[in-house]
Amino acid sequence: MPDIVAGGIYMSAVKIIGKNKLDGSVRIQGCKNSVLPIIAASVVSGGRSVIHNCPRLSDVFSSIAILRDLGAKADLCGNTLTIDSSGVNSDTVRPELMSAMRSSVIFLGALLSRCGAACISMPGGCDIGARPIDIHLDAFSRLGVDVDSRGTSVCCSASNLHGGSVALPFPSVGATENIMLLSCVGRGVTTIYNAAKEPEIEDLQNFLNGMGARVFGAGSGVITIYAAKKLYDIEYTVMPDRIEAATFACAAAAAGGSVYMNPVVPEHISPVLNVLEGCGAKVVRYASSLLVVSDGMLNCAPFVATGPYPGFPTDAQSLVMSVMSVSHGSGVIVENIFENRLRHAYELCKMGADISVHGRRAVINGGELHGAHASACDLRSGAALAVAAFAADGETRIDKAEYINRGYDGFTEKFRSIGANIEGMNDDG
Ligand code: EPZ
């Protein structure tokens, strides 16, 4: 994708020489898991959306490619994304664009709202699990959407769309967001019970209401949407990325040093910060920023179990596994959200980590790590391998680093600015 290369964010591998302390301050990017549904939501209004604090990520460029293919105009200048969705003339996201990222499923609700019909190909699973969309489609059906899923494609019609109540069997983030986009324009009142409570849901609610929607309850588990007749132009600033903040916090804890992160909403990652404090790191929570100080000599967290917000975020699970791998003592991690999100343990073992995996549980015996040649399994495990490499003795090369490009804007530059010996390499080398 030319934008990625042009944006200078493309890298296929990362090389790190460990044992440098991390000292300094970093600016936290706009939130990937907020901006992606917000970009899809911009299709609903048929107007102009100016989105500030937009991170320059390959997933954002993939979303821009989908917008343009649908007929919208979309341009990212610095960290401001300007979208004009008046020209949307298609209700179908082409398979080759769908497959670039999982969250393209979120265009389903937006296109149904805007066009009354939508066709996507199944977003497919990835290395962390099957990632079906049954919860999305069951909820859509209960709200009158005619769902025709054949093979790998899903085509829907909203000609009989009506309000109603849907109770999610699991507080799925994507399903909650898709129902919000489906129900925000048209007629009737829709209530989502057992809705996801993640902060990104609240950011989407604020964006929709800024366009003239009437969505209430984000963060509470019960979301009520009063369908509006029309949505309007908006200028909006995306919230900070709590998982990027967790990444820098874990890196500071593992490598040692003092890292100040801004902007951060500390309570958005309380479970992660509590674990790091329990390991012996010093955490200072300011109103909208965060400081983590560590001597790098940590005690292993005894037990970490991921869960829906406000539980321990699954996206920080691999990051904390890296911290535990370089700590003193033993601990257990249980991954309750995705069925296959412990694969990075095997990559950490290449660096000398002592980790055994049994189903959704990993048992970690902390100790010293050494540099190695490892591969990212998904976006967050790529970052987690870097966290381990900062604390490891010697050189580590992380392949499949394009995963990191998906979720981190300026990953190597930011870590280099606080003292890490890190270099991004593209296919040439
Ligand atoms: C979002 O994915 C995030 N992605 C993920 O972040 C995050 O890990 C996840 O929420 C959980 O917090 C974006 O926001 C773009 P789910 P999503 O629907 O919406 C199962 C990252 O690294 N499920 O809450 O796909 C599913 O298989 C990414 O930034 C169904 O069974 O997550 C999983 O086991 C990774 N059927 C669980 O629910 C469905 O219809 C949670 O999925 C939907 C989900």
Side-chain angles (χ1 to χ4, degrees):
M1 292 187 222
D3 277 322
I4 290 181
V5 176
I9 64 170
Y10 182 77
M11 61 184 180
S12 58
V14 169
K15 189 170 72 174
I16 291 169
I17 295 174
K19 293 295 183 191
N20 284 15
K21 294 291 181 207
L22 302 178
D23 286 303
S25 64
V26 287
R27 174 158 185 74
I28 297 301
Q29 71 188 29
C31 179
K32 166 182 96 74
N33 291 346
S34 259
V35 78
L36 296 179
I38 281 173
I39 289 172
S42 71
V43 166
V44 180
S45 67
R48 190 169 185 270
S49 300
V50 179
I51 300 164
H52 298 295
N53 201 29
C54 179
R56 299 180 68 85
L57 308 171
S58 51
D59 275 8
V60 167
F61 288 107
S62 300
S63 300
I64 288 171
I66 291 174
L67 285 175
R68 290 173 177 170
D69 196 65
L70 291 170
K73 289 183 185 139
D75 292 293
L76 181 57
C77 182
N79 292 110
T80 295
L81 175 59
T82 303
I83 299 166
D84 175 354
S85 63
S86 59
V88 167
N89 54 21
S90 167
D91 61 16
T92 299
V93 180
R94 289 191 291 123
E96 56 272 29
L97 296 177
M98 274 297 295
S99 57
M101 60 179 184
R102 153 84 189 168
S103 58
S104 32
V105 66
I106 207 74
F107 279 92
L108 194 58
L111 285 168
L112 282 167
S113 248
R114 172 69 186 279
C115 310
C119 264
I120 64 167
S121 53
M122 289 292 281
C126 55
D127 288 312
I128 61 177
R131 305 189 77 179
I133 60 170
D134 54 319
I135 299 176
H136 300 239
L137 300 181
D138 289 350
F140 280 20
S141 301
R142 290 175 191 282
L143 297 170
V145 173
D146 178 31
V147 177
D148 179 7
S149 56
R150 289 184 205 163
T152 58
S153 76
V154 176
C155 290
C156 299
S157 161
S159 48
N160 300 315
L161 177 67
H162 53 72
S165 296
V166 289
L168 303 185
F170 178 86
S172 156
V173 172
T176 301
E177 293 165 342
N178 236 337
I179 299 163
M180 289 164 73
L181 298 187
L182 170 73
S183 308
C184 62
V185 164
R187 52 189 178 281
V189 182
T190 299
T191 303
I192 310 170
Y193 294 100
N194 197 27
K197 300 177 181 176
E198 275 70 3
E200 291 78 17
I201 305 283
E202 202 158 345
D203 217 22
L204 178 61
Q205 172 178 284
N206 294 338
F207 180 79
L208 289 171
N209 289 347
M211 289 203 284
R214 293 180 298 153
V215 183
F216 305 96
S220 74
V222 179
I223 297 177
T224 303
I225 305 126
Y226 299 85
K229 291 273 175 285
K230 183 170 169 27
L231 299 185
Y232 300 91
D233 295 357
I234 186 169
E235 187 156 359
Y236 190 78
T237 299
V238 174
M239 70 179 239
D241 193 315
R242 61 193 176 104
I243 304 301
E244 190 196 32
T247 304
F248 281 98
C250 289
S258 171
V259 177
Y260 178 77
M261 294 142 265
N262 178 45
V264 177
V265 181
E267 57 266 27
H268 283 172
I269 49 171
S270 281
V272 180
L273 301 180
N274 295 342
V275 165
L276 296 182
E277 277 177 320
C279 294
K282 181 184 170 200
V283 175
V284 183
R285 296 164 175 80
Y286 299 102
S288 58
S289 59
L290 181 66
L291 172 68
V292 173
V293 182
S294 164
D295 60 6
M297 312 291 283
L298 302 172
N299 302 310
C300 192
F303 184 75
V304 173
T306 64
Y309 194 89
F312 189 97
T314 175
D315 292 346
Q317 178 258 106
S318 55
L319 301 168
V320 158
M321 186 185 285
S322 291
V323 174
M324 292 165 72
S325 298
V326 298
S327 304
H328 296 281
S330 303
V332 175
I333 288 179
V334 181
E335 170 54 55
N336 291 311
I337 303 294
F338 290 103
E339 70 271 23
N340 190 29
R341 203 175 196 178
L342 293 170
R343 293 177 63 205
H344 49 278
Y346 304 109
E347 297 303 313
L348 288 171
C349 289
K350 292 177 184 172
M351 300 172 71
D354 176 356
I355 306 171
S356 52
V357 175
H358 316 277
R360 288 183 178 238
R361 296 169 67 86
V363 179
I364 299 107
N365 297 309
E368 286 290 318
L369 298 189
H370 55 74
H373 190 170
S375 287
C377 314
D378 68 86
L379 150 60
R380 303 302 173 185
S381 71
L385 288 171
V387 168
F390 294 138
D393 186 17
E395 179 177 307
T396 297
R397 178 188 167 103
I398 303 168
D399 284 338
K400 298 187 183 174
E402 52 273 20
Y403 276 119
I404 298 176
N405 297 322
R406 292 190 48 204
Y408 294 89
D409 184 354
F411 186 81
T412 55
E413 294 81 357
K414 287 185 179 179
F415 273 110
R416 201 160 38 241
S417 76
I418 54 176
N421 185 334
I422 180 172
E423 183 190 351
M425 295 175 285
N426 57 27
D427 291 335
D428 306 334

